Every structure is written in C-alpha cells, then in structure tokens.
Amino acid sequence: IGANKGQFSLAARYIYPQAKIICFEPLVLPAKKFRKFFAEDKKIMLYQTAIGPKNKTVSMHVSERNDSSSLLPIGEKQINIFPGTKEVTLEEISVAPLNNFVKIEDFSSPTLVKIDVQGYELEVLKGCYDFIEKFNYIYVECSFVELYEGQALLHEIISYLQELLFNIKGVYNMYYDKNGVAVQADFLFIRNYESL
C-alpha cells in the first residue's frame, strides 16, 4: 500500500517468485511506471487508489520527489530534513477501504502487508480493518516526529496495532536528522496468535 513505482514489489518478487502481490498506488505517474515494468507478471495486480476508512475523492499533495507525496500536507520538518520534497502540485485521487478491492479468499498465509504512505499510516490501517485478522505481518514506515501535518506518530500506530494483537518484531532503516534526533524507521509487526 503506497507501491510507488514498484521498488518493494520487485524485491518481493525476487525473494518470493510464486507470491501473489496486490498493490495500491494512487498517483498517475508512478502507477504508469509500475504497470509498464510489471506488464508481463500475471501474479502482480495494481489498483490505482489510496486505502483509507471511507470512499472519497481527495487532493493528494504531490512532492518534488513523488515517493514523498502524501494525502496530508507536507510539513516544514519534512522539507527541512529531506530537501527536495516540497509540494509541487495537487492531484485528485480516490480513497477507499481495502474491502472494495479484495475478498477474504484473496489472502493466503503467510500474508505480509507493507505500508509506506507518508503519514497516512493509521488511516490505511483503519481502511484494512475488515481483513486485519488475515494479516500475519505488517511492515510499516512510522515517524517519531511530525513530518506531515496531522499524521499519527509511532506511539499511536503501536497502540492501535496492539489492540489488534500485533507486536513489534523488528525495527529497520532508522533515520536520524543532522542533530542525531530519531526521525523515522520501518517497523515489522507480527500478529500474536497465542493471545486469541
């Protein structure tokens, strides 16, 4: 979710050549590049939409670097810490819950959900609620500081997922600013089936 041009999908395909990969990318340009690159791969599906709790059409804040674009306004800290990520335009995109696109039978264990949505993580998780029990792993980029206006921070993501029986299994790609302050990292959550 937040597939961009397909960088993570490419890595996943290399490691798991038989896996079914379902992707979501709302922006026109990266979605076009994704489709071109994976045109021959019949086990990869791309939906050109964002995932969230409600069906709606919204303006996405497109960054100078499109992988830094967000449904939330790009904040000053993001621009200062990551130069070249200021907003350059708005693009109308659709948002919808995951159940608009997939069915329960589309999931097979183990299921990994990868989320990279620049501050919109909590809303994406809410949009996946109907299928959350089918997820074995959730790999999500979270921030310690507000980079996008109104974004949920790491502690809010942890709290939400703990209520759904997910615990942190690993922390990767920790990023610090020039003063040594932790900014963001990728977190791997695993569902605790022993608590069921």
Side-chain angles (χ1 to χ4, degrees), residues 38-39 47 57 88 90 104 109-110 130 137 142 145 147 161 174 192 195:
F38 291 105
Y47 293 97
T57 300
V88 291
L90 294 171
I104 202 80
S109 186
D130 287 349
Y137 301 94
C142 298
V145 298
L147 301 173
L161 286 175
M174 182 74 76
N192 182 8
S195 299

Side-chain angles (χ1 to χ4, degrees), residues 145-156:
V145 298
E146 187 178 86
L147 301 173
Y148 296 86
E149 294 177 19
Q151 78 175 102
L153 300 181
L154 172 63
H155 66 277
E156 296 169 86

Side-chain angles (χ1 to χ4, degrees), residues 44-104:
I44 291 186
M45 186 179 306
L46 177 70
Y47 293 97
Q48 194 174 321
T49 184
I51 298 298
K54 295 179 180 177
N55 289 290
K56 58 184 178 179
T57 300
V58 297
S59 294
M60 191 159 183
H61 303 268
V62 181
S63 167
E64 214 171 317
R65 281 180 22 206
N66 61 32
D67 61 354
S68 294
S69 303
S70 178
L71 282 137
L72 303 175
I74 301 170
E76 287 301 316
K77 279 188 181 175
Q78 168 69 23
I79 296 166
N80 292 334
I81 296 171
F82 302 100
T85 60
K86 68 181 180 181
E87 182 178 314
V88 291
T89 190
L90 294 171
E91 186 173 317
E92 291 296 300
I93 59 110
S94 61
V95 182
L98 189 60
N99 63 15
N100 281 29
F101 309 100
V102 297
K103 299 180 176 67
I104 202 80

Side-chain angles (χ1 to χ4, degrees), residues 97-99 104 125-135:
L98 189 60
N99 63 15
I104 202 80
L125 288 166
K126 291 175 181 177
C128 294
Y129 184 81
D130 287 349
F131 297 117
I132 206 91
E133 65 183 29
K134 289 294 184 180
F135 300 167

